[in-house]
Amino acid sequence: MNELVRQHTALDDSDLEWLHLLVSEWQLLSDLSFADLVLWVPTEDGTRYVSVAQMRPNTGPTSYQDDMVGHLVPRGRRPMLDVALDEGRIVREGDPEWREEVPVRVESIPVRRASRVLGVIARNTNLLTVRTPSRLELTYLQSASDLAQMIAAGSFPFPDQQVDMDASPRVGDGLIRLDADGVVQYASPNALSAYHRLGLAADLLGHHLGRTTADLAPTRGPVDEALAKVASGWAPREFEIESGDGVIQFRAIPLKPKGVRVGSLVLLRDVTELRRRERELMTKDATIREIHHRVKNNLQTVAALLRLQARRIESERGREALEEAVRRVGSIAIVHETLSQNLDERVEFDEIADRVLAMVAEISPGKVTGRRTGHFGILDAEVATPLSMVLTEALQNAVEHGFREGDTGTVEVSAVRGGSPKEARLLVTVQDDGVGLPEGFDPHRSGNLGLQIVRTLVEGELGGTFDMVPAPERGTRVILDIPVPAQK
């Protein structure tokens, strides 16, 4: 719609925003009318109309099999559009049109914003299935007529209320029509079922909806008074009520076809099962986070016990081995700590990499500075956990074997995500400017435990490749190439 309006019309951004607000709401008008809606806007030179939006009803057969958006028609070909635009009134005159042997009643509703008419809604009703209307259909049509008059007067949609139509109740979910005093004139079967779910044993017809709803709500006191007013449809509002075994979502729409409130529409939907599933998911998420939190605490306890054991060992090599184990356990604990703070099993790995880098730099025999460039991005837990171990081993190897006592230097971790969306990859390099590799060193045959862990995790669990080569100028470079899911 944006492109069509800007290409063909003279409407400004505020006018376009009003049309967007209308289009976000007009499924309601389409369903109440049992009719297709097409929004026509005059072109900048005033010689033609361009159709910028279309809506089909959920409550009846369509009048248009084809998509009408983008069609251009000259002024004069559809006189009802001209009259509605020029005179600013709803036009219902004229005989039905025949489209593919189907009679269609066409009406034109001007779309007003303040003192200007921006365009015209063509309401097209398929008459092939017309029969004697029921009470429900008569209520729908009367409500549609009121809404159409409000659109023509510029009082609908409501500019201060943004509605999520995907989450908001629809006409077929349940509808109640109230008079100006808030008394129920009509309640659809679905609406009655929803109120029975709240605990109502009687019929709604003739009862004051606000007071009835407040009596069913679990709260008492001043809140009841506010709820009674909202449920009576005095203002456009959305709200939910939970009582007994039911949760009902409401949307109140005041009807002011001639500037005076004649009643209200209340749309409602039984969302009991939806809210129950949401609570189950929230409980599941909370349980998962608690598990990660407890795993992190247990790992920290293990690390503390290993440190305690290391202090009691006289053998230097034994002490170093336990300290390495402490760092390995600590890197896994960092991942679980991050997961315990998230709503899903995914982590922002840049934070983990920085913490691992800081942890390993503390063990350096010299004054080694660590830094990170690039971004790891968000990774799944099954990738983050082994990758944190790999990064710990690579950094630990760099600071322990690349620098001697009193040396100064730098260890840099670089991360680049690339590849195609279907085959995204993460390229990680760990580079130091230390003494470099011994002559003839082969990382793939080395018996070093840390390198064995790296090879096993990278090639086995992560399905990637690992290499260790001399850096271009000085030191050593570790290269990890890992397949990762594309970022969403």
Side-chain angles (χ1 to χ4, degrees):
M1 185 166 72
N2 289 359
E3 183 179 347
L4 288 170
V5 168
R6 289 172 178 148
Q7 180 181 354
H8 294 284
T9 78
L11 300 183
D12 59 25
D13 288 343
S14 60
D15 295 331
L16 181 57
E17 184 62 30
W18 182 263
L19 295 184
H20 274 293
L21 189 59
L22 171 67
V23 168
S24 72
E25 291 271 33
W26 71 344
Q27 180 73 63
L28 176 63
L29 177 62
S30 178
D31 289 346
L32 290 172
S33 303
F34 308 97
D36 291 75
L37 306 178
V38 180
L39 177 57
W40 296 93
V41 180
T43 57
E44 188 171 7
D45 59 9
T47 62
R48 296 180 297 175
Y49 297 94
V50 57
S51 57
V52 298
Q54 179 179 0
M55 177 58 65
R56 293 183 172 91
N58 294 317
T59 51
T62 183
S63 303
Y64 285 112
Q65 298 299 327
D66 299 327
D67 187 3
M68 294 296 296
V69 176
H71 283 216
L72 289 161
V73 298
R75 184 179 171 90
R77 178 175 295 179
R78 300 191 177 184
M80 295 176 69
L81 293 181
D82 300 338
V83 174
L85 182 70
D86 297 340
E87 301 181 11
R89 66 179 179 88
I90 298 175
V91 182
R92 295 190 175 94
E93 300 88 2
D95 297 326
E97 296 181 3
W98 287 84
R99 300 175 189 161
E100 298 180 356
E101 300 184 354
V102 175
V104 176
R105 182 175 63 242
V106 181
E107 303 165 272
S108 295
I109 304 167
V111 177
R112 184 180 296 276
R113 176 174 178 257
S115 60
R116 298 167 49 235
V117 176
L118 306 183
V120 179
I121 294 176
R123 181 164 56 177
N124 303 267
T125 306
N126 186 325
L127 300 178
L128 195 61
T129 58
V130 169
R131 52 186 172 79
T132 303
S134 65
R135 180 72 186 278
L136 179 145
E137 291 165 333
L138 288 173
T139 303
Y140 278 21
L141 293 172
Q142 179 59 54
S143 302
S145 177
D146 293 337
L147 282 178
Q149 292 182 59
M150 292 170 64
I151 292 172
S155 58
F156 187 84
F158 305 111
D160 57 345
Q161 186 189 39
Q162 295 289 336
V163 177
D164 182 0
M165 292 306 297
D166 291 334
S168 184
R170 295 178 179 252
V171 170
D173 295 327
L175 178 143
I176 298 175
R177 172 83 187 218
L178 307 179
D179 65 13
D181 296 321
V183 176
V184 177
Q185 293 180 310
Y186 176 79
S188 71
N190 284 345
L192 282 174
S193 296
Y195 264 84
H196 291 160
R197 189 75 178 262
L198 288 177
L200 179 70
D203 195 359
L204 277 173
L205 193 63
H207 288 76
H208 189 278
L209 187 68
R211 289 194 290 268
T212 300
T213 305
D215 290 341
L216 293 172
T219 55
R220 292 291 180 267
V223 177
D224 282 0
E225 297 178 7
L227 178 59
K229 191 169 183 179
V230 170
S232 298
W234 285 93
R237 293 287 186 273
E238 287 200 32
F239 59 99
E240 283 189 9
I241 294 177
E242 181 172 359
S243 177
D245 296 328
V247 182
I248 307 301
Q249 182 183 21
F250 291 78
R251 183 187 178 196
I253 304 169
L255 297 175
K256 302 178 181 179
K258 296 181 180 179
V260 179
R261 183 172 174 272
V262 298
S264 305
L265 276 184
V266 177
L267 305 180
L268 60 157
R269 177 172 59 178
D270 186 344
V271 293
T272 305
E273 293 304 312
L274 177 63
R275 296 294 177 261
R276 182 185 61 80
R277 289 196 295 269
E278 288 177 353
R279 290 191 187 102
E280 287 179 351
L281 289 174
M282 291 175 63
T283 302
K284 179 182 177 182
D285 289 339
T287 302
I288 291 173
R289 290 199 299 272
E290 178 63 22
I291 290 172
H292 284 302
H293 182 71
R294 293 189 182 188
V295 170
K296 182 263 298 183
N297 288 344
N298 290 339
L299 289 172
Q300 289 179 339
T301 300
V302 171
L305 292 173
L306 291 174
R307 288 194 197 94
L308 183 62
Q309 186 69 35
R311 294 192 191 103
R312 296 174 176 270
I313 292 181
E314 297 181 359
S315 168
E316 184 68 23
R317 292 187 63 183
R319 188 181 304 111
E320 290 177 356
L322 286 177
E323 288 174 352
E324 287 182 1
V326 168
R327 286 187 287 274
R328 288 164 184 152
V329 172
S331 66
I332 301 175
I334 291 173
V335 176
H336 283 284
E337 181 180 2
T338 306
L339 288 169
S340 70
Q341 300 167 2
N342 293 343
L343 293 176
D344 54 17
E345 292 289 281
R346 309 180 77 207
V347 295
E348 176 59 66
F349 198 81
D350 291 343
E351 178 186 350
I352 294 174
D354 291 341
R355 293 179 63 178
V356 169
L357 189 59
M359 178 179 67
V360 174
E362 293 176 356
I363 68 168
S364 171
K367 296 181 179 179
V368 178
T369 302
R371 67 168 178 258
R372 173 179 59 83
T373 60
H375 298 283
F376 287 86
I378 297 175
L379 297 176
D380 294 336
E382 58 264 28
V383 175
T385 301
L387 182 57
S388 69
M389 284 279 292
V390 169
L391 192 59
T392 300
E393 297 299 331
L395 288 168
Q396 186 169 293
N397 188 74
V399 298
E400 284 187 351
H401 301 289
F403 301 95
R404 301 183 181 91
E405 189 72 33
D407 286 352
T408 60
T410 302
V411 178
E412 179 177 330
V413 177
S414 173
V416 178
R417 292 184 81 146
S420 65
K422 292 184 178 180
E423 297 182 1
R425 303 193 73 82
L426 175 64
L427 181 64
V428 181
T429 59
V430 178
Q431 182 169 316
D432 65 73
D433 54 3
V435 298
L437 295 172
E439 186 175 350
F441 179 79
D442 184 353
H444 298 284
R445 295 185 178 181
S446 171
N448 179 281
L449 176 60
L451 292 182
Q452 289 181 12
I453 291 174
V454 170
R455 286 198 302 269
T456 300
L457 292 177
V458 171
E459 297 172 0
E461 288 200 34
L462 296 174
T465 60
F466 152 75
D467 202 2
M468 178 182 286
V469 297
E473 296 181 2
R474 180 186 176 188
T476 305
R477 175 181 289 178
V478 175
I479 304 171
L480 310 172
D481 188 358
I482 302 167
V484 293
Q487 296 194 82
K488 298 179 181 179

